[in-house]
Amino acid sequence: MLIVICGATASGKSSLALEIARRLDSIIISADSRQIYCEFDIGTAKPSSKEQQLVDHYQIDICEPTETLTLAEYQQQTQAIIEDRLDRPLLLVGGTGLYLDSITKGLKIPRVSPQPELRSQLSAIGQIQAHSWLSQVDPKAAQKIHINDQFRTLRALEVFYTTGIPISEQQGENPPNYPILQIGLDCDVPASDQRIATRTHQMIEMGLVNEVKYLCQKYGADLPLLNTLGYGEIKQYLAGEIDLNEAIALTITHTRQFAKRQRTWFQKNKQINWFDNSREDLPERVWHKIQEFI
């Protein structure tokens, strides 16, 4: 049995999961696309060492910042963890929609690793031409991919030119045969915005600036991960482009925008049981739902 706890950033997933996992004597499997990377701790809201000692966490700190873990690799690893421990309830926790869908829906993912040289060549021809090529080799995929969506266009072409098979023929779903309970955390937008602002300031107090400074010195400021949410804004501050207050304000704004996109993604999933994370009795309400399901 798998229990999913999902929701937008700063919705309280980690703290609730810790409480539920301790009650179930279970483990927590992370579904966060940045917590997989070592040393990116504060800015990704990674569970602390103390929290990880209280409950065993998986899929955290499994990849070096200079490496790339594909969705297919994440899925394969996570499925193995789940299948090895299905004798008890397990928790899958995070806000990365594709990571969660890869497990709960059993997405069929082409086993094609990124091809930097091929992508570079395809990028050089321009997005309009690239999408036109995609229309010729994989019209089904081209119909689903917006003409301005460069990432998905390049990925579809990459898969086709690597395997000779259209990506549309390699996709689909193969849901797992074990029961899944999906719990979603949400609240009204003003409350969510306040949670995001509070957490951003907490990250600064915890030492986010020093974390970014250290990572820039160790890996170089051009490391792609250092352009992601929270890190990119502080990097601008360290480069003297903006002051710290501006960096904090930008981080809050960008995080709110990201949370809105996450809500849109999760609202499409009708299997999610939603709970108001602003209620004091949230853990008990979720626990009751889990007991019903078990």
Side-chain angles (χ1 to χ4, degrees), residues 1-3 5 16-27 55 88-91 181 286-287 290-291 294:
M1 170 181 165
L2 183 66
I3 300 167
I5 299 180
L16 176 65
L18 197 66
E19 171 73 17
I20 298 300
R22 295 184 71 183
R23 293 191 189 191
L24 289 171
D25 188 25
S26 185
I27 65 170
V55 173
R88 57 174 172 166
L90 306 173
L91 271 67
L181 173 64
V286 172
W287 180 248
I290 291 172
Q291 291 302 301
I294 293 177

Side-chain angles (χ1 to χ4, degrees), residues 16 19-20 23 185 275-289:
L16 176 65
E19 171 73 17
I20 298 300
R23 293 191 189 191
L185 303 185
F275 289 82
D276 184 347
N277 61 8
S278 65
R279 293 187 53 141
E280 292 185 2
D281 62 346
L282 172 66
E284 295 308 321
R285 287 168 58 82
V286 172
W287 180 248
H288 179 70
K289 183 67 177 179

Side-chain angles (χ1 to χ4, degrees), residues 39-294:
E39 300 184 284
F40 279 71
D41 302 330
I42 298 172
T44 65
K46 190 178 293 179
S48 67
S49 298
K50 182 178 180 181
E51 290 170 331
Q52 293 189 51
Q53 288 173 358
L54 291 172
V55 173
D56 287 339
H57 286 67
Y58 292 78
Q59 298 302 68
I60 288 178
D61 292 337
I62 60 171
C63 193
E64 293 299 322
T66 53
E67 299 173 341
T68 299
L69 185 79
T70 66
L71 177 62
E73 290 170 332
Y74 171 83
Q75 181 191 52
Q76 188 175 33
Q77 293 176 13
T78 303
Q79 286 174 335
I81 293 169
I82 293 171
E83 290 169 8
D84 192 46
R85 295 168 175 79
L86 275 177
D87 57 325
R88 57 174 172 166
L90 306 173
L91 271 67
L92 180 66
V93 183
T96 302
L98 270 177
Y99 275 25
L100 293 166
D101 284 356
S102 74
I103 303 303
T104 60
K105 296 182 180 180
L107 297 182
K108 295 179 182 177
I109 306 165
R111 262 45 179 185
V112 177
S113 60
Q115 309 290 316
E117 186 174 339
L118 177 57
R119 284 191 183 186
S120 178
Q121 294 173 0
L122 292 170
S123 297
I125 68 173
Q127 173 60 16
I128 301 299
Q129 183 62 45
H131 196 275
S132 176
W133 283 7
L134 182 61
S135 298
Q136 296 174 36
V137 301
D138 191 351
K140 288 184 179 179
Q143 286 181 347
K144 295 180 179 179
I145 299 174
H146 193 277
I147 193 170
N148 294 327
D149 191 337
Q150 183 184 41
F151 177 82
R152 293 179 66 202
T153 300
L154 293 181
R155 176 57 178 168
L157 287 171
E158 179 179 60
V159 169
F160 175 77
Y161 285 117
T162 302
T163 66
I165 303 172
I167 193 173
S168 59
E169 295 181 14
Q170 301 186 51
Q171 294 175 322
E173 297 179 2
N174 183 25
N177 56 12
Y178 47 79
I180 300 175
L181 173 64
Q182 299 191 53
I183 302 293
L185 303 185
D186 202 5
C187 56
D188 59 52
V189 174
S192 174
D193 287 350
Q194 184 55 54
R195 293 173 73 104
I196 288 170
T198 298
R199 191 173 78 168
T200 301
H201 285 285
Q202 289 174 340
M203 287 178 171
I204 296 297
E205 293 171 3
M206 291 170 65
L208 179 59
V209 173
N210 285 334
E211 177 172 284
V212 177
K213 184 184 297 183
Y214 165 77
L215 292 168
C216 284
Q217 291 173 346
K218 181 171 182 178
Y219 297 104
D222 58 347
L223 182 76
L225 274 172
L226 285 169
N227 292 323
T228 61
L229 192 60
Y231 292 94
E233 295 84 355
I234 297 301
K235 192 174 73 169
Q236 284 184 274
Y237 159 64
L238 292 172
E241 299 172 6
I242 55 177
D243 63 33
L244 183 56
N245 287 332
E246 288 178 295
I248 293 172
L250 276 175
T251 300
I252 292 172
T253 297
H254 293 160
T255 305
R256 287 172 176 171
Q257 293 168 345
F258 177 59
K260 182 179 180 180
R261 294 194 296 272
Q262 287 178 299
R263 288 193 203 95
T264 300
W265 177 286
F266 289 125
Q267 285 168 1
K268 296 176 183 177
N269 186 344
K270 304 306 179 183
Q271 302 302 313
I272 296 176
N273 299 272
W274 290 102
F275 289 82
D276 184 347
N277 61 8
S278 65
R279 293 187 53 141
E280 292 185 2
D281 62 346
L282 172 66
E284 295 308 321
R285 287 168 58 82
V286 172
W287 180 248
H288 179 70
K289 183 67 177 179
I290 291 172
Q291 291 302 301
E292 285 184 340
F293 191 73
I294 293 177

